[in-house]
Amino acid sequence: LCLVKTAQKELEAETVKWHKEDKEDGTIDFDEDLPREIKNLSAQWIKKCHDLYDKEITFSKKLPMPQQPDSKTTLFGEIKYGRTSYVAGKDSDIVKIRNGRTGPDIYLEIEAFICDESPKSMEDNQSFSAGSFRAMRLPLEAFGKAKVDYPINRLSSETITAEEKAEYADKVLQISELLPTALACREGKDRHQERTTNRKSSAPIVVDEITEISIVAGEFFPQIDVYVRAKSGEFIETTAQVGDDDGKKQKKYLEVQGKITLTHIWDADTGVYKKMEKSEKIDMGPGWTQTKAVNKAFIFDKLDKDVFIQAGTYEVTYTLGGV
């Protein structure tokens, strides 16, 4: 290729016209009197065009027909993109793609490669200029197993270095340490006093956990404070902060749902608590949800005494939501 003399503004706008020469080696020749800056810009532009448009995608290991989702696309287990091979499925390596200009890198586990051709007409080792891949974002502990399709040209020929793998492993550990694993309950304390006491304190919260409470029929059910314990042992009120696909930070607030069920009833004739069958259990109302924590506690206020007028055993269940 020989560069035809062109104004620099046209070169920068990528509207340069090229003149093809019969040269088999594919080198680029420049007029000797061209400024060095023009030569550099030209070389960069050629490289960019090659990286974006000249790479062939060769699809192989076509998935069996029962695993093909529809008649318009075909799923494969392996591709060769440029000089790099990628494998999907259980043998998939971790791949990294750029997340915009400023966002953190995204790490992915590839499930399949997609070619926009009918499975009936596709065979192994056919090449195309475009395609996509279906992947799950890592770490799965934070993002779940949601599957997203990305263009194959977002894959890089660069391999992940040992340092990057170690950095990724540290990131997984940090995120998993902040994910919720259990709930802890305690009988509620005076909120005003606790706010005043803990306002300037950075000491860890200590919870004297309870598993049962005995009250007289007709009394109030006491305030219960529910805490969400992370894998690290700390109490949390939000999930770990992770970057979404747009590079923005997102924070999901946790919530705790409560429900009361009458499971045993006092039998005056026998003098024992009679266990109710599953079909006989009585749900004491539709349940209630706390979406905001106060000093890491999801506070369930004491309940009306009219709820507990029947002697028996009531099962109070708290479940985690908002994740």
Side-chain angles (χ1 to χ4, degrees), residues 8-17 45 48-49 53:
Q8 184 171 350
K9 62 180 182 179
E10 292 183 8
L11 180 65
E12 292 173 346
E14 298 183 352
T15 58
V16 179
K17 296 181 180 180
W45 184 73
K48 180 180 177 182
C49 289
Y53 306 116

Side-chain angles (χ1 to χ4, degrees), residues 9-68:
K9 62 180 182 179
E10 292 183 8
L11 180 65
E12 292 173 346
E14 298 183 352
T15 58
V16 179
K17 296 181 180 180
W18 299 90
H19 175 66
K20 185 177 180 181
E21 295 285 351
D22 294 329
K23 292 195 174 183
E24 296 181 358
D25 58 6
T27 58
I28 303 173
D29 292 336
F30 298 98
D31 290 349
E32 293 183 359
D33 57 346
L34 278 177
R36 179 177 296 178
E37 182 181 0
I38 298 293
K39 294 179 181 179
N40 290 339
L41 286 170
S42 303
Q44 292 171 15
W45 184 73
I46 282 288
K47 183 179 183 303
K48 180 180 177 182
C49 289
H50 171 68
D51 290 343
L52 287 177
Y53 306 116
D54 291 347
K55 286 185 179 178
E56 280 192 337
I57 305 167
T58 303
F59 293 85
S60 58
K61 295 188 178 178
K62 178 182 173 182
L63 301 188
M65 286 302 292
Q67 298 182 35
Q68 299 297 339

